[in-house]
Amino acid sequence: MTGAGRVAALLTRLAAALGRLVAAGRRRSVVFSELWRRSLQLRVVVSTLALGSAVVFVLGIVLQNQITDQLLGTKEEAAIQQTRAAVGIAERELLGTSEDSEVLRNRLTSARNRLTSSSPDSSAGAFEPVLVNDAPNMSRDQVSYAGDYDAVPQSLREFVLRPTGPTATQIHTVERPSGPITYLIVGTPINNAGSSRLQMQLYMLYPLTAEQTTISAEQNTLLVGGLVLLLLLAGITNLVTRQVVLPVRRAARAAERFADGELDERMVVAGEDDVARLAQSYNEMAESIQRQIRQLEEFGQLQRRFTSDVSHELRTPLTTVRMAADVLHASRAQFPAGLSRSTELLVDELDRFESLLGDLLEISRLDAGVEELVSEYADLRAIARRAVESVRVIARNAGSEIVLDLPEEEATAEVESRRVERIVRNLLANAIDHGEGRPVELRMALGPDAVAVTVRDHGVGLRTGEAELVFNRFWRADPSRNRHTGGTGLGLAISLEDARLHGGGLDAWGEPGQGACFRLTLPRLQDVEYGESPLPLPPEDAHPVEEAQPEQVPEEVHP
């Protein structure tokens, strides 16, 4: 393998490893975010730790600054006092010094040795003296000094060389063979009565090694103490939060079991604190809800039984009236025109009455939950065609054309053909009633786990909020409109229940002037949830509703 190939392979492995790290980090982030959303205890502990960390950090910074300022302030005061004492010794040693450079250098060295050997008692500690004869107009070669002159920073030398000659201090780090050492340097001028042409200064270098060690120990103590304090704070917060969260979790589990139908589920009441009052209030609420649910169940059972009994009892007289109406209808040619028309109206209303009774029986069985789905694998294209043929006459009388858009491959699904055909037939009849004689489009599409059917009309449409009302029983958008199908007002409600019985859904969309569209989505396999519907809602040909623009008022023109 060539060098370029090895580099490419290495980059590929590196990219793969980086991708795995990113994926692992993303998974952990998702897990933590989910845990963060679901765990009140975690949020309280983390929030307390964050606030506690901020407080400990600020407190540590304040304490460290105070301790450091105290140490350095004490060191500086002692260093200045010791430097003043050293200035007196240096002035006596350098009294009457000649301007000759060699003699001056020897006198400076002698004075430095004297300072080093004297070492007056002071809390400033060890020091390194530096004696210098320097002036602003001198070059580096003309400067005479004794000691480590290069350790003195240029900024401090310039400050001491000012005409006022103040005593100045500066903290400076010097590179030594053993490593960098930080010094507190005190500089001050030396008065030389022997010659006014000499400008001598004394610099005292006090190592801050002991102070740095003390500060480091103090920082470590604060760091360890802060960490221990945060751990104790986290533990205490966790214990305190747990005492509150555990009863809330028990209440949540009890509420979930109660919502799942275990109406006898209650919380244990222990003590007289707030949590005990919460449990007692929850138990009282559960008992009240249980009583109301049982009352509603009994009322619902009575209502369904009443509807079913009335529907059954009406069938016998309805059959008798139907037989008499059929006899009259067969002989209508022998009646006068008005009586003949009445006979036809009687038969039409009897047909509608029979349809209403059938729908009432069907919806009462759906409400009672006794309906069972008898599913089989069927081609939904054939079901859609049968539904279209059943409303072909109604569409022709209304002047509406039914346009089919079916897939070429088989649209097989596990459904009950009778119920699906009834859903599509009700949707087509509803579209014909409100389509204003315009074409009605039936479209079908397949997905990996679902089949969708849409019925689209281009009639009056639905106003805002009516899409949620169209499935209510006996609801009509415009009661004054004439119906072509003679519907009972229960068709869409039954269709919605049939769709839910299949594990699917029935949705509606409409806009004034753009018509309406109903979408039926069914899973291809029972007991298998589906994802997104294969057909969009609103439909693709729907135009967004433009917001009304404010009326433009012409500007007034003055002559």
Side-chain angles (χ1 to χ4, degrees), residues 492-551:
L492 291 179
I494 294 175
S495 298
L496 179 61
E497 296 298 330
D498 283 337
R500 291 174 176 173
L501 192 62
H502 281 83
L506 186 59
D507 307 302
W509 167 88
E511 290 290 345
Q514 297 192 39
C517 182
F518 289 79
R519 180 182 67 185
L520 170 66
T521 307
L522 300 173
R524 302 191 68 173
L525 294 175
Q526 289 299 312
D527 300 327
V528 177
E529 295 184 359
Y530 62 89
E532 188 177 355
S533 179
L535 290 175
L537 195 71
E540 296 176 349
D541 61 344
H543 302 289
V545 179
E546 297 182 358
E547 297 183 358
Q549 298 294 330
E551 184 179 356

Side-chain angles (χ1 to χ4, degrees), residues 384-398:
R385 292 191 182 97
R386 290 199 300 269
V388 170
E389 290 301 323
S390 64
V391 298
R392 184 75 70 181
V393 176
I394 301 173
R396 184 166 53 250
N397 293 336

Side-chain angles (χ1 to χ4, degrees), residues 252-305:
R253 286 193 294 268
E256 290 174 357
R257 288 192 292 268
F258 188 87
D260 291 337
E262 301 179 15
L263 301 182
D264 295 328
E265 182 67 29
R266 297 292 184 272
M267 291 183 62
V268 178
V269 180
E272 298 179 356
D273 56 5
D274 294 336
V275 177
R277 288 198 295 272
L278 171 64
Q280 185 176 359
S281 300
Y282 171 82
N283 293 339
E284 294 175 356
M285 179 192 68
E287 291 176 1
S288 175
I289 293 176
Q290 184 181 17
R291 288 195 301 269
Q292 295 179 19
I293 289 176
R294 288 176 177 174
Q295 292 175 359
L296 289 175
E297 288 178 349
E298 294 174 358
F299 177 75
Q301 290 176 359
L302 290 175
Q303 186 179 23
R304 290 190 294 269
R305 187 180 302 114

